[in-house]
Amino acid sequence: MPHISMVLTPSFQFLALGVQAAFELANALKGEPYYTLSIASVEGGPVMSSSGFTVPTVKLTEVGQADTLLLMAGLTPPPQQDEATLETLRAMARQSRRVAGLCTGSFLLGQMGLLDGRRATTHWSYARLMREAFPKVRVEDDRIFINEGSVWTSAGLTAGLDLAVALVEKDLGRDMASAIARRLVMHHRRAGGQSQHSELLQLAPSSDRIQKALIHAKTHLADPLTVEELADVAALSPRQFSRAFRAETGQTPAKAVEQIRLEAARLMIEETRHPLDQIARENGFTDLRRMREAFMRQYGQPPQTLRRLARAA
């Protein structure tokens, strides 16, 4: 029975503990206990969160055989840990099948030396600091989470839940992971390669009507997605829709749709082996030539180059 130990450090962010829901739901959906859980710290005893709440923990060395260690820190990167603490964490990591640093918890893995020579991610606002602190690590600040063998890292706090669902998928399969995502009311289970800077988040419309049109576009990328179609979804005239869309997002509907298509196509290029012409059609570019032109405008590189770089990584 895999044991998941959530390891806290002082001033950890309370929201990080929410990842336990993925494992709890896995047990519930299986109809029998599969995972066991513990909340631990190196010293044991109560640990105070960044919001002032304290959480009781067991001493890490008393947890026993942990299958998975989830290292949790705060809203800012943790300070350099003393060598005794790091050695305790290293020893437990060596005994575990896998270890993950959630958000700024990735810095703990860096201090342990477990990220040297590996790819890793963290919250985008601390990526530069992570590069400076750990020059042997290939920091990718545009990823939701990264799996490098037995070591996992995730981006900002909610991305830890995506990582947890991905861990369950490794153990129990895609159907279980999808069922958990639905129960958690996650819009969809985000793949690790997805950008932290989602186009839907960056557009950030203030009204439900424009948000509804954008979600429609995201889920119907193979369709033409004309202004008339999107305006109909928003229950506005095309002229009203175009005016409201630009006012709320700062972009025209056509430009926003192209950005969403580019984001989806790039994810497929980097994460799948689908032919490029198929990716172009599925994301509404009509043909490979038009997708290539859009990629050159946005990224300065053709799709083939991005796929080659992703495979090399």
Side-chain angles (χ1 to χ4, degrees):
M1 186 178 294
H3 183 78
I4 311 294
S5 186
M6 296 174 284
V7 184
L8 308 185
T9 55
S11 297
F12 75 95
Q13 217 295 320
F14 209 86
L15 180 60
L17 286 173
V19 300
Q20 61 82 30
F23 307 105
E24 179 185 0
L25 281 171
N27 288 342
L29 292 171
K30 277 187 67 67
E32 60 182 4
Y34 180 80
Y35 294 107
T36 57
L37 299 166
S38 67
I39 301 177
S41 65
V42 171
E43 298 295 333
V47 177
M48 183 173 289
S49 71
S50 59
S51 55
F53 296 103
T54 59
V55 174
T57 67
V58 299
K59 193 170 184 177
L60 185 57
T61 54
E62 297 175 358
V63 167
Q65 185 68 42
D67 174 82
T68 304
L69 295 181
L70 303 180
L71 306 185
M72 302 178 181
L75 291 173
T76 58
Q80 178 66 38
Q81 306 295 299
D82 61 74
E83 187 55 33
T85 295
L86 293 176
E87 187 49 43
T88 298
L89 292 172
R90 291 188 196 105
M92 292 299 294
R94 285 193 293 267
Q95 298 173 25
S96 303
R97 177 165 63 103
R98 56 196 178 190
V99 59
L102 277 58
C103 191
T104 57
S106 299
F107 281 76
L108 295 173
L109 293 177
Q111 294 176 23
M112 294 161 64
L114 295 187
L115 298 182
D116 290 355
R118 300 178 190 266
R119 296 183 304 136
T121 192
T122 189
H123 192 285
W124 61 266
S125 63
Y126 296 118
R128 180 177 178 181
L129 180 60
M130 192 173 191
R131 289 190 183 94
E132 295 172 351
F134 310 111
K136 296 181 181 179
V137 181
R138 179 180 169 187
V139 180
E140 298 187 6
D141 57 344
D142 199 28
R143 292 293 180 264
I144 295 296
F145 63 82
I146 290 176
N147 172 211
E148 286 277 276
S150 62
V151 180
W152 297 64
T153 53
S154 77
L157 291 166
T158 57
L161 196 53
D162 295 286
L163 184 151
V165 173
L167 293 176
V168 174
E169 180 174 332
K170 285 282 188 181
D171 297 337
L172 297 173
R174 179 168 296 182
D175 289 345
M176 175 63 78
S178 297
I180 290 171
R182 288 194 297 273
R183 291 289 292 272
L184 290 172
V185 200
M186 297 168 70
H187 179 58
H188 55 81
R189 190 188 63 78
R190 296 185 293 181
Q194 184 168 329
S195 171
Q196 292 187 36
H197 312 288
S198 169
E199 287 300 326
L200 290 181
L201 290 176
Q202 290 194 27
L203 291 168
S206 57
S207 70
D208 290 343
R209 286 183 171 184
I210 303 302
Q211 177 72 18
K212 185 177 180 181
L214 283 171
I215 292 174
H216 175 83
K218 178 75 173 178
T219 54
H220 295 80
L221 289 178
D223 295 349
L225 295 177
T226 62
V227 170
E228 289 74 17
E229 179 182 348
L230 296 177
D232 186 59
V233 172
L236 294 169
S237 72
R239 185 175 180 179
Q240 288 175 316
F241 175 75
S242 296
R243 186 186 303 117
F245 194 97
R246 181 182 282 276
E248 293 187 28
T249 68
Q251 294 190 21
T252 65
K255 182 63 176 177
V257 167
E258 181 179 85
Q259 294 296 313
I260 294 172
R261 282 179 165 144
L262 281 165
E263 180 180 74
R266 180 170 181 173
L267 178 61
M268 289 184 69
I269 286 167
E270 294 181 345
E271 297 291 318
T272 75
R273 294 184 177 275
H274 297 329
L276 294 179
D277 56 349
Q278 177 185 341
I279 293 174
R281 291 194 303 273
E282 289 187 11
N283 289 286
F285 286 106
T286 308
D287 56 41
L288 182 54
R289 178 184 62 81
R290 293 187 182 182
M291 184 172 77
R292 185 182 188 281
E293 291 172 351
F295 267 68
M296 292 299 296
R297 286 194 301 271
Q298 178 70 15
Y299 304 119
Q301 295 177 319
Q304 296 90 334
T305 299
L306 292 175
R307 169 162 280 179
R308 186 167 61 252
L309 292 172
R311 289 180 177 176

